[in-house]
Amino acid sequence: MRKLIVAVIIVSFLIPLAQARIQAQGEVNPKTVSEITVNIIQQGSLEITGAVERANLTLFIPQEGVTFQGIDADGDSAHEYIYDQYGNKKVLIKWNKPSGTVNYRITTTVKNTAKKFMPTISVGTNPDPSFLQPTKSIVINDEIRKFAFPYDKSWQRVADMTTDVYKLLEYDISMVGQRKSSDWVFENKRGVCVEHANLLTAMLRAAGMPTRYVTGYAYSVVDDRLIGHTWVEVLGSDGSWVSFDPTWLEGGYLDATHIKTASLPDDAQEDVLTYFGTGTVKWKRGALNSEYAGSATGDLYSDTINIIDFKQTDVTTFNIQNSDVVPFDGAAYVKAAVFSDSCLISNVKVSACVDASKNPVFRISDPEQIIFSCKEDSSRSSEVVWFLQESSKQNQPYNCPITIYDQLGSERTVQIGVEGHEQQKNIFISGPDIVGVNERFTIRSSENSNFIFYSPALGTHDFPEWDLAINKPGNYNFSLWAGNTLATKTISVVEKKEFEISIDAPKNATVNAPMIISVNVKNLLDAKSLTVKLDFEGQTYEKFISLGQNEQKAVFYNITASASGQKQIAASAIGNSIATTSRIIQIYDPAAESKNPFQFIIDFFSAIANFFGSLF
């Protein structure tokens, strides 16, 4: 009796591939590789026992940049190219009555170039539902839908999701070959490239963006060689596909070491052996003749990859602005404009000098920042700003080198001098501390000119008032720099806000004169008792009230100021959570100002200047 045996081999691209090191020029950053030429050898053997009439072997091969391909097989054999339903090109090798051991060898030369992308197209729609649907490994549950929100179909949102996955997951080399599904990955927050790509694919599809799962090779600095790798592609409105790699944080721009072997709905890349007859066939893969056992974790193999040549290119350049000199205990700034001829994700970092004990002399806010630079005019840039608080406790002047660099190989060093002492300005950012998702709110700078207003998540803002509505929960940091002084504020954006709170107060007041402050509180949830607190000049005033659901009350405080100048009033509503806000008030001292007969004129023109300054 004849029998038909079909063996399905699921190929895992997680095993380091042999002899593919970049050695010609010493240590190389693969993300700067703009062109690469490699020779890939896929080989193996079939060991036949008994009578086998026919044997067929179907193999995925490199999909792009192929300049040469040779296919050799022992025995009575032939080969042809076939395509699967997703357009992937494969090699089909057919044997007629094979016996003993038959060998095969596919030699492919690939010249690959880095992929670049400018935003002349939008995110596309796709008639093929395969790239929007869940699969066995691309699981889209409620938690992933929530994590993927907001569903803004833009390249910025794709980059944000790529960054979210990169930050969320720990790279765990022990998970090579395990191929966990996206729901497991989101819950356990670790994995290798397969897990990173699984989760990002699930998030993008949850947001309605057609996404292909890509398998292939890429260069790993950890392994110092080309290894099996996975990433994703998102459909553009012109039918093209734009690459994003959440494991190594690339997007828009993709370095040339990424060599594609398949684009599929998920990681189920399958090489297939079928044979017909009464005998059996044992398939061994790679130069080491590793035997396949029929599972992704047990079937280890190595293709042979030799790098013939490669070319490196600067991907980004920096234009730096910075403080030249700051006083001891003062704050400096460093602003980096990032330029590139492609949309890209850039992980930009800053480091400063240390003292003799290797302690940092500057405290740096957000030393590592990730931005997506994607503008139609490549001459325009994306800006990153750092603020550095001097903290050396020294008295002797010194110069500190500050280094700015990114993962794409760009680096610049500038000098900031530290000398002298000066009185710090009293600057601050006023506005709410907690807001709801998509709630419109305003934060304000105490300065009207010569300031830097910045958030790592939202960029720079050129005006004293910043109107915002943030669509994703989280903590958002804001910094205000002026006159070598730094003020910071963190705003929590929450999905379910308990209270709305605002302050009504006069813009101006006089020292030692009573002023009435109204704190307006609205309860958005169930009826409750709460504390309404007012903080001013180091004093805390508390009142206790009860509010029904959606009830609003005004709580009044009669307070006085003890000193002149710009002062901040802060109010809080405290229940199961806390909602806070603040505003600025100008306090005058008539007794002190009456000593200067020209003070009225000075105040008049100062008021005019502040008014017009607030308009721009």
Side-chain angles (χ1 to χ4, degrees):
M1 180 179 72
R2 297 174 182 265
K3 60 182 179 179
L4 175 67
I5 299 178
V6 179
V8 178
I9 309 302
I10 300 177
V11 179
S12 170
F13 280 89
L14 300 172
I15 307 306
L17 304 178
Q19 303 303 318
R21 293 183 173 88
I22 294 180
Q23 296 175 326
Q25 300 179 23
E27 186 175 344
V28 170
N29 181 354
K31 294 183 179 181
T32 66
V33 176
S34 57
E35 295 180 10
I36 192 168
T37 302
V38 298
N39 189 60
I40 302 172
I41 300 174
Q42 299 168 264
Q43 59 186 325
S45 63
L46 304 182
E47 295 181 357
I48 294 94
T49 302
V52 174
E53 296 295 326
R54 294 185 299 276
N56 294 336
L57 189 60
T58 305
L59 300 166
F60 282 88
I61 56 176
Q63 299 295 307
E64 300 170 338
V66 175
T67 60
F68 168 81
Q69 193 158 68
I71 303 171
D72 299 303
D74 295 342
D76 184 1
S77 63
H79 69 269
E80 62 183 273
Y81 293 108
I82 61 174
Y83 293 84
D84 66 16
Q85 68 186 94
Y86 307 109
N88 296 298
K89 186 177 182 180
K90 300 191 282 187
V91 169
L92 170 61
I93 304 175
K94 301 181 287 187
W95 283 272
N96 183 42
K97 294 185 178 180
S99 61
T101 299
V102 294
N103 300 302
Y104 69 90
R105 180 185 178 100
I106 303 172
T107 303
T108 306
T109 301
V110 175
K111 185 175 182 179
N112 202 38
T113 58
K115 291 179 170 58
K116 297 183 178 182
F117 164 71
M118 293 303 292
T120 54
I121 58 173
S122 58
V123 174
T125 57
N126 187 19
D128 186 347
S130 301
F131 300 124
L132 282 170
Q133 293 177 347
T135 70
K136 182 179 179 180
S137 58
I138 310 300
V139 178
I140 306 173
N141 59 19
D142 289 341
E143 288 76 15
I144 290 175
R145 289 188 185 94
K146 182 177 178 181
F147 190 57
F149 189 82
Y151 300 153
D152 176 18
K153 296 180 182 178
S154 68
W155 298 117
Q156 179 65 57
R157 189 71 191 108
V158 178
D160 289 344
M161 289 188 191
T162 303
T163 302
D164 288 343
V165 172
Y166 172 80
K167 289 181 175 180
L168 180 71
L169 302 189
E170 174 191 355
Y171 190 87
D172 186 352
I173 193 67
S174 69
M175 291 186 61
V176 167
Q178 294 190 30
R179 300 171 65 196
K180 297 293 188 180
S181 62
S182 57
D183 57 337
W184 186 97
V185 177
F186 185 75
E187 180 179 356
N188 292 274
K189 297 177 176 52
R190 59 191 177 93
V192 290
C193 61
V194 166
E195 285 72 32
H196 283 72
N198 280 352
L199 180 55
L200 181 56
T201 301
M203 291 171 61
L204 291 166
R205 291 182 185 172
M209 290 183 269
T211 306
R212 298 197 303 198
Y213 191 102
V214 182
T215 58
Y217 315 113
Y219 199 90
S220 166
V221 294
V222 175
D223 296 278
D224 192 24
R225 68 186 72 197
L226 279 161
I227 65 171
H229 193 53
T230 60
W231 59 99
V232 309
E233 292 176 335
V234 178
L235 180 68
S237 57
D238 64 348
S240 64
W241 293 86
V242 181
S243 302
F244 289 83
D245 184 341
T247 311
W248 294 339
L249 198 60
E250 295 186 40
Y253 167 86
L254 192 74
D255 72 69
T257 73
H258 288 71
I259 299 171
K260 182 194 300 186
T261 57
S263 299
L264 297 162
D266 57 21
D267 65 338
Q269 177 173 324
E270 298 173 354
D271 287 350
V272 179
L273 166 67
T274 63
Y275 58 92
F276 181 77
T278 58
T280 59
V281 178
K282 184 182 292 185
W283 183 12
K284 294 185 176 181
R285 297 283 299 263
L288 301 179
N289 281 324
S290 300
E291 182 177 349
Y292 268 72
S295 72
T297 55
D299 301 333
L300 308 182
Y301 77 98
S302 291
D303 293 343
T304 301
I305 304 182
N306 296 305
I307 296 174
I308 300 171
D309 192 19
F310 66 94
K311 177 182 176 182
Q312 293 178 266
T313 304
D314 291 336
V315 183
T316 55
T317 57
F318 294 149
N319 182 21
I320 307 296
Q321 298 178 22
N322 59 276
S323 302
D324 293 324
V325 179
V326 295
F328 291 102
D329 296 324
Y333 77 90
V334 175
K335 182 185 294 186
V338 182
F339 292 86
S340 179
D341 63 353
S342 173
C343 291
L344 54 81
I345 299 173
S346 185
N347 188 2
V348 194
K349 304 177 184 180
V350 67
S351 63
C353 59
V354 296
D355 62 19
S357 301
K358 297 186 178 180
N359 296 313
V361 298
F362 281 100
R363 296 192 306 270
I364 304 175
S365 60
D366 301 299
E368 178 179 347
Q369 299 186 43
I370 298 173
I371 60 170
F372 183 54
S373 178
C374 193
K375 298 181 178 179
E376 293 187 22
D377 181 357
S378 62
S379 66
R380 298 171 66 191
S381 68
S382 295
E383 287 185 339
V384 186
V385 183
W386 296 273
F387 302 99
L388 302 87
Q389 184 71 52
E390 203 279 335
S391 57
S392 68
K393 307 302 181 185
Q394 298 184 36
N395 291 315
Q396 296 298 319
Y398 66 92
N399 289 321
C400 180
I402 310 294
T403 301
I404 303 96
Y405 57 100
D406 66 12
Q407 90 279 25
L408 298 164
S410 293
E411 181 176 318
R412 284 281 306 278
T413 299
V414 298
Q415 297 280 340
I416 294 179
V418 179
E419 61 181 43
H421 296 270
E422 66 179 43
Q423 186 172 352
Q424 301 294 299
K425 296 185 66 175
N426 181 25
I427 68 172
F428 40 82
I429 304 168
S430 63
D433 294 331
I434 300 177
V435 297
V437 170
N438 288 319
E439 176 186 352
R440 295 192 175 277
F441 66 98
T442 300
I443 59 175
R444 294 174 177 85
S445 160
S446 61
E447 305 302 296
N448 289 321
S449 62
N450 299 320
F451 63 85
I452 299 174
F453 211 175
Y454 180 72
S455 167
L458 305 171
T460 54
H461 188 70
D462 296 331
F463 306 102
E465 291 195 355
W466 197 342
D467 296 324
L468 294 162
I470 300 175
N471 59 15
K472 194 170 181 64
N475 292 325
Y476 292 79
N477 296 324
F478 295 84
S479 297
L480 173 66
W481 179 94
N484 298 322
T485 304
L486 180 66
T488 62
K489 184 178 183 66
T490 299
I491 296 178
S492 296
V493 180
V494 297
E495 289 186 288
K496 195 172 184 179
K497 190 173 64 168
E498 193 172 7
F499 305 112
E500 287 181 352
I501 185 170
S502 63
I503 299 174
D504 288 334
K507 293 182 178 180
N508 306 309
T510 303
V511 171
N512 296 324
M515 57 179 170
I516 304 300
I517 308 297
S518 171
V519 179
N520 308 298
V521 182
K522 182 178 181 180
N523 177 34
L524 303 178
L525 303 179
D526 296 333
K528 61 177 65 66
S529 298
L530 63 144
T531 303
V532 182
K533 185 173 67 170
L534 189 76
D535 293 292
F536 180 70
E537 287 192 329
Q539 298 293 316
T540 298
Y541 309 86
E542 290 186 343
K543 293 190 177 182
F544 303 92
I545 63 171
S546 296
L547 289 176
Q549 186 175 11
N550 292 320
E551 184 181 4
Q552 181 171 332
K553 284 185 180 179
V555 182
F556 296 92
Y557 298 85
N558 188 342
I559 63 176
T560 58
S562 62
S564 62
Q566 272 194 333
K567 301 297 180 73
Q568 186 178 50
I569 299 175
S572 303
I574 304 170
N576 295 326
S577 62
I578 184 171
T580 63
T581 188
S582 60
R583 65 168 298 168
I584 300 165
I585 187 169
Q586 181 70 48
I587 307 297
Y588 294 98
D589 186 348
E593 292 166 3
S594 64
K595 297 177 182 179
N596 183 352
F598 302 102
Q599 189 63 43
F600 173 81
I601 299 174
I602 294 172
D603 290 345
F604 175 78
F605 284 104
S606 177
I608 294 175
N610 288 336
F611 171 77
F612 284 103
S614 68
L615 298 179
F616 300 98

Short mmCIF file of all heavy atoms in Angstrom, two decimals, residues 317-362:
data_model
loop_
_atom_site.label_atom_id
_atom_site.label_comp_id
_atom_site.label_asym_id
_atom_site.label_seq_id
_atom_site.Cartn_x
_atom_site.Cartn_y
_atom_site.Cartn_z
N THR A 317 21.68 64.40 11.35
CA THR A 317 22.64 65.42 11.76
C THR A 317 21.98 66.30 12.81
O THR A 317 20.75 66.40 12.87
CB THR A 317 23.11 66.29 10.58
OG1 THR A 317 21.96 66.90 9.95
CG2 THR A 317 23.85 65.46 9.55
N PHE A 318 22.80 66.94 13.64
CA PHE A 318 22.29 67.79 14.71
C PHE A 318 22.69 69.24 14.48
O PHE A 318 23.79 69.53 14.02
CB PHE A 318 22.88 67.37 16.07
CG PHE A 318 22.47 66.01 16.54
CD1 PHE A 318 23.34 65.25 17.32
CD2 PHE A 318 21.23 65.48 16.24
CE1 PHE A 318 22.97 64.00 17.78
CE2 PHE A 318 20.86 64.23 16.68
CZ PHE A 318 21.73 63.49 17.45
N ASN A 319 21.79 70.14 14.83
CA ASN A 319 22.11 71.55 14.99
C ASN A 319 21.85 71.89 16.46
O ASN A 319 20.73 71.75 16.95
CB ASN A 319 21.26 72.42 14.07
CG ASN A 319 21.61 73.89 14.19
OD1 ASN A 319 22.69 74.25 14.64
ND2 ASN A 319 20.68 74.75 13.81
N ILE A 320 22.89 72.30 17.19
CA ILE A 320 22.81 72.44 18.64
C ILE A 320 22.79 73.91 19.05
O ILE A 320 23.58 74.72 18.56
CB ILE A 320 24.00 71.74 19.34
CG1 ILE A 320 24.11 70.29 18.86
CG2 ILE A 320 23.85 71.81 20.85
CD1 ILE A 320 22.94 69.42 19.21
N GLN A 321 21.89 74.25 19.96
CA GLN A 321 21.91 75.52 20.68
C GLN A 321 21.99 75.20 22.17
O GLN A 321 21.39 74.22 22.62
CB GLN A 321 20.65 76.34 20.40
CG GLN A 321 20.47 76.75 18.94
CD GLN A 321 19.17 77.51 18.73
OE1 GLN A 321 18.62 78.07 19.66
NE2 GLN A 321 18.69 77.51 17.51
N ASN A 322 22.71 76.03 22.93
CA ASN A 322 22.86 75.72 24.34
C ASN A 322 23.27 76.96 25.13
O ASN A 322 23.73 77.96 24.56
CB ASN A 322 23.90 74.62 24.56
CG ASN A 322 25.26 74.99 24.02
OD1 ASN A 322 25.52 74.81 22.82
ND2 ASN A 322 26.15 75.49 24.87
N SER A 323 23.09 76.89 26.43
CA SER A 323 23.60 77.92 27.33
C SER A 323 25.11 77.95 27.23
O SER A 323 25.77 76.90 27.23
CB SER A 323 23.19 77.63 28.78
OG SER A 323 21.80 77.55 28.91
N ASP A 324 25.70 79.15 27.16
CA ASP A 324 27.16 79.26 27.14
C ASP A 324 27.74 79.19 28.55
O ASP A 324 28.70 78.48 28.80
CB ASP A 324 27.57 80.57 26.47
CG ASP A 324 27.22 80.59 24.99
OD1 ASP A 324 27.32 79.53 24.36
OD2 ASP A 324 26.84 81.66 24.49
N VAL A 325 27.14 79.97 29.46
CA VAL A 325 27.63 80.04 30.83
C VAL A 325 26.43 80.08 31.77
O VAL A 325 25.44 80.76 31.49
CB VAL A 325 28.51 81.30 31.06
CG1 VAL A 325 28.98 81.35 32.51
CG2 VAL A 325 29.69 81.31 30.12
N VAL A 326 26.51 79.34 32.87
CA VAL A 326 25.47 79.39 33.90
C VAL A 326 26.15 79.58 35.25
O VAL A 326 27.32 79.21 35.43
CB VAL A 326 24.62 78.10 33.93
CG1 VAL A 326 23.84 77.94 32.64
CG2 VAL A 326 25.47 76.87 34.19
N PRO A 327 25.44 80.16 36.21
CA PRO A 327 26.02 80.29 37.55
C PRO A 327 25.95 78.98 38.31
O PRO A 327 25.23 78.05 37.92
CB PRO A 327 25.12 81.35 38.20
CG PRO A 327 23.80 81.15 37.53
CD PRO A 327 24.11 80.78 36.11
N PHE A 328 26.72 78.89 39.39
CA PHE A 328 26.58 77.74 40.28
C PHE A 328 25.14 77.66 40.76
O PHE A 328 24.50 78.68 41.06
CB PHE A 328 27.54 77.88 41.46
CG PHE A 328 28.98 77.74 41.09
CD1 PHE A 328 29.80 78.86 40.96
CD2 PHE A 328 29.52 76.49 40.83
CE1 PHE A 328 31.13 78.73 40.60
CE2 PHE A 328 30.85 76.36 40.46
CZ PHE A 328 31.67 77.47 40.34
N ASP A 329 24.60 76.45 40.79
CA ASP A 329 23.21 76.16 41.16
C ASP A 329 22.20 76.68 40.14
O ASP A 329 21.00 76.64 40.37
CB ASP A 329 22.85 76.77 42.53
CG ASP A 329 23.67 76.15 43.65
OD1 ASP A 329 23.93 74.94 43.57
OD2 ASP A 329 24.05 76.88 44.58
N GLY A 330 22.70 77.14 38.97
CA GLY A 330 21.80 77.59 37.92
C GLY A 330 21.39 76.45 37.00
O GLY A 330 21.84 75.31 37.12
N ALA A 331 20.50 76.75 36.07
CA ALA A 331 20.01 75.76 35.11
C ALA A 331 20.43 76.15 33.70
O ALA A 331 20.31 77.31 33.30
CB ALA A 331 18.49 75.64 35.18
N ALA A 332 20.93 75.19 32.96
CA ALA A 332 21.31 75.38 31.56
C ALA A 332 20.33 74.64 30.67
O ALA A 332 19.56 73.79 31.12
CB ALA A 332 22.73 74.87 31.33
N TYR A 333 20.37 74.96 29.38
CA TYR A 333 19.57 74.21 28.41
C TYR A 333 20.44 73.78 27.25
O TYR A 333 21.45 74.40 26.93
CB TYR A 333 18.39 75.05 27.89
CG TYR A 333 18.78 76.09 26.86
CD1 TYR A 333 18.78 75.78 25.50
CD2 TYR A 333 19.17 77.37 27.23
CE1 TYR A 333 19.15 76.72 24.54
CE2 TYR A 333 19.53 78.32 26.30
CZ TYR A 333 19.52 77.99 24.95
OH TYR A 333 19.90 78.91 24.01
N VAL A 334 20.05 72.68 26.63
CA VAL A 334 20.65 72.22 25.38
C VAL A 334 19.51 71.86 24.45
O VAL A 334 18.62 71.07 24.82
CB VAL A 334 21.56 70.99 25.59
CG1 VAL A 334 22.07 70.47 24.26
CG2 VAL A 334 22.73 71.33 26.51
N LYS A 335 19.50 72.45 23.27
CA LYS A 335 18.45 72.20 22.29
C LYS A 335 19.07 71.59 21.03
O LYS A 335 20.00 72.14 20.46
CB LYS A 335 17.72 73.49 21.93
CG LYS A 335 16.57 73.32 20.93
CD LYS A 335 15.99 74.68 20.53
CE LYS A 335 15.32 75.37 21.68
NZ LYS A 335 14.62 76.61 21.24
N ALA A 336 18.58 70.42 20.63
CA ALA A 336 19.10 69.73 19.45
C ALA A 336 18.03 69.66 18.38
O ALA A 336 16.94 69.11 18.62
CB ALA A 336 19.57 68.32 19.81
N ALA A 337 18.31 70.22 17.22
CA ALA A 337 17.43 70.07 16.05
C ALA A 337 17.95 68.87 15.25
O ALA A 337 19.12 68.81 14.90
CB ALA A 337 17.45 71.33 15.20
N VAL A 338 17.07 67.89 15.01
CA VAL A 338 17.45 66.65 14.34
C VAL A 338 17.01 66.72 12.88
O VAL A 338 15.83 66.89 12.59
CB VAL A 338 16.81 65.43 15.03
CG1 VAL A 338 17.26 64.14 14.36
CG2 VAL A 338 17.15 65.41 16.52
N PHE A 339 17.99 66.57 11.97
CA PHE A 339 17.72 66.64 10.54
C PHE A 339 17.94 65.27 9.89
O PHE A 339 18.87 64.54 10.26
CB PHE A 339 18.64 67.66 9.85
CG PHE A 339 18.39 69.09 10.24
CD1 PHE A 339 19.00 69.63 11.36
CD2 PHE A 339 17.55 69.88 9.48
CE1 PHE A 339 18.77 70.96 11.72
CE2 PHE A 339 17.31 71.20 9.84
CZ PHE A 339 17.92 71.74 10.95
N SER A 340 17.11 64.93 8.92
CA SER A 340 17.27 63.70 8.16
C SER A 340 16.51 63.83 6.84
O SER A 340 15.60 64.65 6.72
CB SER A 340 16.74 62.49 8.94
OG SER A 340 16.87 61.30 8.19
N ASP A 341 16.90 63.02 5.86
CA ASP A 341 16.18 63.02 4.58
C ASP A 341 15.11 61.94 4.55
O ASP A 341 14.58 61.60 3.50
CB ASP A 341 17.14 62.85 3.41
CG ASP A 341 17.87 61.52 3.43
OD1 ASP A 341 17.74 60.78 4.41
OD2 ASP A 341 18.59 61.23 2.45
N SER A 342 14.78 61.38 5.72
CA SER A 342 13.74 60.37 5.82
C SER A 342 12.97 60.55 7.11
O SER A 342 13.51 61.04 8.11
CB SER A 342 14.35 58.96 5.80
OG SER A 342 13.36 57.97 6.05
N CYS A 343 11.68 60.18 7.09
CA CYS A 343 11.00 60.01 8.37
C CYS A 343 11.73 58.95 9.18
O CYS A 343 12.16 57.94 8.62
CB CYS A 343 9.56 59.55 8.15
SG CYS A 343 8.48 60.77 7.39
N LEU A 344 11.86 59.17 10.48
CA LEU A 344 12.55 58.18 11.29
C LEU A 344 12.24 58.36 12.76
O LEU A 344 11.84 59.44 13.20
CB LEU A 344 14.06 58.22 11.06
CG LEU A 344 14.80 59.54 11.23
CD1 LEU A 344 15.10 59.85 12.67
CD2 LEU A 344 16.09 59.51 10.43
N ILE A 345 12.42 57.28 13.50
CA ILE A 345 12.36 57.32 14.95
C ILE A 345 13.78 57.52 15.44
O ILE A 345 14.68 56.76 15.09
CB ILE A 345 11.77 56.03 15.53
CG1 ILE A 345 10.33 55.82 15.02
CG2 ILE A 345 11.78 56.06 17.05
CD1 ILE A 345 9.73 54.48 15.42
N SER A 346 13.97 58.54 16.26
CA SER A 346 15.31 58.85 16.77
C SER A 346 15.30 58.82 18.29
O SER A 346 14.48 59.47 18.92
CB SER A 346 15.76 60.23 16.27
OG SER A 346 17.09 60.49 16.65
N ASN A 347 16.21 58.03 18.85
CA ASN A 347 16.38 57.94 20.30
C ASN A 347 17.58 58.82 20.66
O ASN A 347 18.73 58.40 20.52
CB ASN A 347 16.61 56.48 20.69
CG ASN A 347 16.61 56.29 22.20
OD1 ASN A 347 16.40 57.23 22.95
ND2 ASN A 347 16.85 55.07 22.63
N VAL A 348 17.32 60.04 21.09
CA VAL A 348 18.36 61.03 21.29
C VAL A 348 18.68 61.13 22.78
O VAL A 348 17.78 61.24 23.61
CB VAL A 348 17.94 62.41 20.74
CG1 VAL A 348 19.15 63.33 20.64
CG2 VAL A 348 17.29 62.27 19.37
N LYS A 349 19.97 61.14 23.10
CA LYS A 349 20.40 61.13 24.49
C LYS A 349 21.41 62.24 24.73
O LYS A 349 22.08 62.70 23.80
CB LYS A 349 21.02 59.78 24.85
CG LYS A 349 20.11 58.59 24.60
CD LYS A 349 20.80 57.27 24.91
CE LYS A 349 19.93 56.08 24.55
NZ LYS A 349 20.60 54.80 24.85
N VAL A 350 21.56 62.61 26.01
CA VAL A 350 22.54 63.62 26.39
C VAL A 350 23.27 63.12 27.63
O VAL A 350 22.68 62.46 28.50
CB VAL A 350 21.89 65.00 26.64
CG1 VAL A 350 20.99 64.96 27.84
CG2 VAL A 350 22.93 66.09 26.77
N SER A 351 24.56 63.40 27.70
CA SER A 351 25.34 63.08 28.90
C SER A 351 26.26 64.25 29.20
O SER A 351 26.67 65.00 28.31
CB SER A 351 26.16 61.80 28.69
OG SER A 351 27.11 61.96 27.66
N ALA A 352 26.58 64.42 30.49
CA ALA A 352 27.40 65.54 30.94
C ALA A 352 28.62 65.01 31.69
O ALA A 352 28.72 63.82 32.01
CB ALA A 352 26.59 66.48 31.81
N CYS A 353 29.53 65.92 32.00
CA CYS A 353 30.75 65.56 32.69
C CYS A 353 30.47 65.14 34.14
O CYS A 353 29.39 65.38 34.67
CB CYS A 353 31.74 66.71 32.65
SG CYS A 353 31.08 68.23 33.42
N VAL A 354 31.47 64.56 34.77
CA VAL A 354 31.38 64.17 36.18
C VAL A 354 32.56 64.78 36.93
O VAL A 354 33.55 65.22 36.32
CB VAL A 354 31.40 62.63 36.34
CG1 VAL A 354 30.17 62.02 35.70
CG2 VAL A 354 32.67 62.03 35.73
N ASP A 355 32.46 64.81 38.26
CA ASP A 355 33.55 65.36 39.05
C ASP A 355 34.60 64.28 39.34
O ASP A 355 34.51 63.16 38.81
CB ASP A 355 33.02 65.99 40.34
CG ASP A 355 32.32 64.99 41.25
OD1 ASP A 355 32.54 63.77 41.09
OD2 ASP A 355 31.54 65.42 42.12
N ALA A 356 35.57 64.61 40.18
CA ALA A 356 36.67 63.68 40.46
C ALA A 356 36.18 62.38 41.10
O ALA A 356 36.82 61.34 40.96
CB ALA A 356 37.69 64.35 41.36
N SER A 357 35.05 62.44 41.78
CA SER A 357 34.47 61.24 42.39
C SER A 357 33.49 60.54 41.47
O SER A 357 32.76 59.65 41.90
CB SER A 357 33.77 61.61 43.70
OG SER A 357 34.68 62.20 44.61
N LYS A 358 33.45 60.97 40.21
CA LYS A 358 32.57 60.42 39.18
C LYS A 358 31.10 60.66 39.48
O LYS A 358 30.23 59.90 39.04
CB LYS A 358 32.86 58.93 38.96
CG LYS A 358 34.26 58.66 38.46
CD LYS A 358 34.47 57.20 38.12
CE LYS A 358 35.88 56.98 37.56
NZ LYS A 358 36.13 55.56 37.20
N ASN A 359 30.82 61.72 40.21
CA ASN A 359 29.43 62.12 40.43
C ASN A 359 29.03 63.15 39.37
O ASN A 359 29.82 64.04 39.04
CB ASN A 359 29.27 62.74 41.82
CG ASN A 359 29.56 61.76 42.92
OD1 ASN A 359 29.09 60.62 42.90
ND2 ASN A 359 30.36 62.18 43.90
N PRO A 360 27.83 63.08 38.84
CA PRO A 360 27.39 64.05 37.84
C PRO A 360 27.39 65.46 38.41
O PRO A 360 27.00 65.67 39.57
CB PRO A 360 25.97 63.58 37.49
CG PRO A 360 25.90 62.15 37.91
CD PRO A 360 26.81 62.04 39.10
N VAL A 361 27.82 66.43 37.64
CA VAL A 361 27.80 67.82 38.09
C VAL A 361 26.52 68.52 37.64
O VAL A 361 26.23 69.63 38.10
CB VAL A 361 29.04 68.59 37.59
CG1 VAL A 361 30.31 67.97 38.14
CG2 VAL A 361 29.08 68.65 36.07
N PHE A 362 25.76 67.88 36.75
CA PHE A 362 24.46 68.41 36.33
C PHE A 362 23.40 67.32 36.53
O PHE A 362 23.63 66.16 36.18
CB PHE A 362 24.47 68.80 34.85
CG PHE A 362 25.11 70.13 34.56
CD1 PHE A 362 26.41 70.19 34.09
CD2 PHE A 362 24.42 71.31 34.75
CE1 PHE A 362 27.00 71.41 33.81
CE2 PHE A 362 25.00 72.53 34.48
CZ PHE A 362 26.31 72.58 34.01
#
